Each structure stands twice: as structure tokens, then as C-alpha cells.
Amino acid sequence: MSREVRGARAADGEGIPAEAATPVVLAEDLVKMHRTEAGAPVKAVRGVDLRIERGEFVAITGPSGAGKSTLLHLLGGLHRPDSGRIWLEGERVDTYSEARWAVLRRRRIGIVFQFFNLISHLTVADNVELPALLAGSTPRQARAKRAELLDDLGLEGRENSTPGELSGGEQQRVALARALVNRSGLLLADEPAGSLDSKGTREVLRLLSRYHQRGQTIVLVTHDARVASAADRVISLFDGRIVDDAALGGGSSSGRPAGGVSGTLKLKG
């Protein structure tokens, strides 16, 4: 168990003591098993300890099958750990029911997926407004949030388009707007550039960097070291375990900016 995790546990083992700086995410000894097609158990995540501070941009990288997406899905409540504990902003959440996790995601966690996961028969406006309405915003509030985000993301005039009428980069920007519409404290991005060309990749990374500069906490999964270089901290996974955890640019793991998107754009050409 890491020193950071030990120092964050409360006397009753359930929360984080008031005197400790409360991280956005704290995970302790996470384990997740999957089964192969033949039914053999495989540990996708093996005893991971993780601490994410407010305002960090963290990239989780590693080869295919390293456990990157599984770990991200554990942090977002999309998978349940077989053992271990997770805290979100000081609140123990790994024991939550699926219904309670759904409420938590609506209000405090935004998620961006590789293949966008937009609702194909809804317009851009409806895709972005729906999470706000589900979280309790009035229709007027949801429209205002959507208009602000689409303008900020360069999607003004596309409100009435459907996802099929957009480019891949535009669809991912809509997915980003949807993830940010409730001003979630934590943004999880699972291979957000994995299905984009180099232009779309640059667009998405510029936007993530912009929101990071505004204080957004971001955890991004990627197999591409060039994409990871947009972050200011890179965690390397191999065979379900953390094998390296390093700040980029010589800065601290929680400083802004240390990595940044500029180096990524140069590498992408």
C-alpha cells in the first residue's frame, strides 16, 4: 500500500481524515478479474493504488490488454472492483449500488468514450442537453449550458444536426460537451482520439488542454505515447499493475502546465 493511500485512510477505514488534502480520486488495492472465452480467470487490474489531485491532467498508458480501460471504468463506476476501495472527493463510493453510481456520474463525473456513444437519432442539441435534464436542470438551464459549450467547442450552427451528419472530430467534440454539461469535477476520457485522424486528434487534445488550463481534472487512457504527452503526469500500466508514474516537463505531478498539447501537436505534424 502506498504512503499516500495509507495517509488518506480514516480511523474507521471508510473516509479521508479532515487534516489530509482531499484528492479528487483515491483508489486502494484495486483488483478486477475478467474471464477468457474459455472461462479462465484473468486479473485485468492487480492491486492498483492511485491518487489523483484536483486540477491534474493524468494519462494512463500501456499496451493493449494492460488494464487501462478497466481501471478507468472502475473509477467511473462502470465496472465493480472484485476487491479494493475507491473514494471520490473524500466519499467512499466502491460500495455504491448501480443506481447511486448513475446519479454520481450525472452530477460529478463526465465520461468520453472512443466511439463517442452519442444517441444517433437525437440532434446535437438533444445529446448535450439530455444529461443536464437528467441531473435536474430546467429546460431553459439545459439550453443555456448547451449553447455555451457548443460555442466554446466550435460547434455553433450544428445544434440541429444528427451525429451521422458530423465528422469524427465533431462527434467527439459533441461527446466532450455532453461530458462537461453538468460541470463535473472529474472528466474520464477512454481513448478519446483512438478513432480519429490526426486533425481530429489535434482538435480534441487542444480542447482537453484548454479545459485543463481552466482547472478541470482529467484522467485520459491511451495506448499512444504521443497523445499521453498532452498530460502533465503519465502513469504506465503493464499486466494490470502500475509500473511507472512520472510528471512530464520536469514539473510536479499536480502542476499546470507541465506537459501540454504543444509537444503532441509537433509530433503529430
Side-chain angles (χ1 to χ4, degrees):
M1 186 187 303
S2 70
R3 175 179 56 80
E4 292 83 357
V5 171
R6 287 198 304 271
R9 295 184 64 176
D12 63 0
E14 293 300 318
I16 296 173
E19 65 271 17
T22 304
V24 175
V25 174
L26 184 70
E28 173 189 307
D29 201 22
L30 289 184
V31 174
K32 180 63 180 178
M33 303 283 292
H34 290 318
R35 291 192 175 274
T36 65
E37 292 183 0
V42 176
K43 281 188 179 179
V45 173
R46 302 168 180 247
V48 166
D49 291 341
L50 181 64
R51 182 182 181 115
I52 307 293
E53 303 294 350
R54 192 172 306 279
E56 280 195 291
F57 186 171
V58 179
I60 300 174
T61 188
S64 178
K68 307 181 301 295
S69 291
T70 299
L71 177 57
L72 195 80
H73 292 176
L74 290 173
L75 300 180
L78 299 173
H79 291 164
R80 299 291 188 88
D82 292 309
S83 62
R85 300 180 180 188
I86 304 170
W87 290 265
L88 182 65
E89 296 178 331
E91 181 179 352
R92 175 101 182 261
V93 296
D94 56 276
T95 58
Y96 277 9
S97 66
E98 177 50 44
R100 200 169 177 188
W101 263 113
V103 172
L104 189 68
R105 283 191 295 269
R106 287 174 197 160
R107 296 176 179 172
R108 294 163 62 183
I109 305 173
I111 304 179
V112 178
F113 298 95
Q114 177 178 351
F115 297 107
F116 322 131
N117 285 20
L118 300 174
I119 301 175
S120 61
H121 65 274
L122 296 183
T123 64
V124 166
D126 289 340
N127 267 284
V128 177
E129 290 176 23
L130 182 59
L133 294 170
L134 291 173
S137 295
T138 66
R140 177 176 292 181
Q141 290 170 333
R143 286 194 297 273
K145 291 177 181 178
R146 178 261 301 166
E148 179 184 358
L149 277 167
L150 293 188
D151 180 66
D152 196 32
L153 294 171
L155 289 166
E156 63 279 358
R158 303 296 263 162
E159 297 88 345
N160 296 319
S161 300
T162 59
E165 298 171 325
L166 306 178
S167 69
E170 287 173 328
Q171 289 186 66
Q172 196 61 291
R173 279 184 276 160
V174 174
L176 182 58
R178 180 186 58 190
L180 293 169
V181 71
N182 289 323
R183 296 178 170 85
S184 303
L186 175 63
L187 179 65
L188 304 177
D190 189 1
E191 296 278 9
S195 58
L196 303 180
D197 60 16
S198 59
K199 179 181 178 181
T201 296
R202 288 194 296 269
E203 290 173 350
V204 168
L205 292 178
R206 277 198 194 98
L207 293 169
L208 289 174
S209 184
R210 180 195 299 174
Y211 282 100
H212 171 232
Q213 295 301 320
R214 296 175 183 175
Q216 178 70 54
T217 305
I218 303 172
V219 182
L220 174 149
V221 157
T222 182
H223 66 278
D224 189 333
R226 295 171 297 181
V227 173
S229 70
D232 53 28
R233 176 183 169 199
V234 176
I235 295 171
S236 300
L237 251 63
F238 184 78
D239 200 21
R241 295 185 176 93
I242 292 177
V243 295
D244 192 33
D245 186 345
L248 297 185
S252 70
S253 63
S254 59
R256 296 193 306 272
V261 75
S262 59
T264 303
L265 301 186
K266 290 177 183 177
L267 283 166
K268 288 285 186 181

